[in-house]
Amino acid sequence: MERALRRFPNEAPRLTASMILATALTCVLYTVLSDASSLRDPSELLSYFSGDESRVVVAALLWTGLVTTALTSYLEALALKTLTAAETTLIYSTEPVWGAGIAAVVYGESFGFSARVGAVFVLAGCLFASWDWGDD
């Protein structure tokens, strides 16, 4: 992805669309071919979109599809125009720490000793990996 965006820097939307399409097709294929689906009749799926909860279901699907999948993939593609894959990986590896920190601030979550140690290891790993050791 990094090489593709460096070669074609204005193609981030197309790359994102192809990633989302591949993800959607994979999910549909898995659902159809696996026993993981509890739906015996595909028309049962429509029952999720009727009734009082239908707005919640549609909102959740839109949020998950558009914001947490498409938007983040698009932003990742934009980031890879200027950052290397290694730099991007370092940034993404801090996501659990940011998520926990936001949960603590917004929702008042508290975290135990092991969660704090994990956060220290993640941040220390990022610092270690980004440190200029002068090996060049």
Side-chain angles (χ1 to χ4, degrees):
M1 199 160 111
E2 176 185 0
R3 274 188 246 140
L5 283 166
R6 290 198 191 276
R7 189 170 173 200
F8 305 105
N10 297 323
E11 298 299 327
R14 285 186 183 186
L15 181 60
T16 302
S18 65
M19 288 172 32
I20 300 304
L21 180 61
T23 301
L25 291 175
T26 302
C27 291
V28 168
L29 186 64
Y30 175 79
T31 302
V32 169
L33 297 178
S34 74
D35 290 334
S37 175
S38 63
L39 297 175
R40 303 287 181 240
D41 179 11
S43 64
E44 289 180 37
L45 187 60
L46 296 177
S47 69
Y48 290 109
F49 297 100
S50 62
D52 295 334
E53 294 91 20
S54 64
R55 289 184 183 170
V56 175
V57 171
V58 170
L61 287 173
L62 288 174
W63 177 264
T64 303
L66 296 175
V67 176
T68 66
T69 304
L71 180 63
T72 56
S73 295
Y74 179 69
L75 293 175
E76 175 186 2
L78 290 179
L80 283 172
K81 284 184 187 180
T82 56
L83 299 173
T84 66
E87 292 168 328
T88 306
T89 300
L90 285 174
I91 292 168
Y92 287 144
S93 64
T94 64
E95 187 272 333
V97 177
W98 285 102
I102 290 170
V105 170
V106 174
Y107 296 112
E109 292 282 334
S110 60
F111 300 95
F113 178 74
S114 60
R116 292 170 195 220
V117 169
V120 168
F121 277 127
V122 167
L123 295 175
C126 289
L127 288 173
F128 182 80
S130 64
W131 192 272
D132 182 17
W133 295 97
D135 299 359
D136 304 332

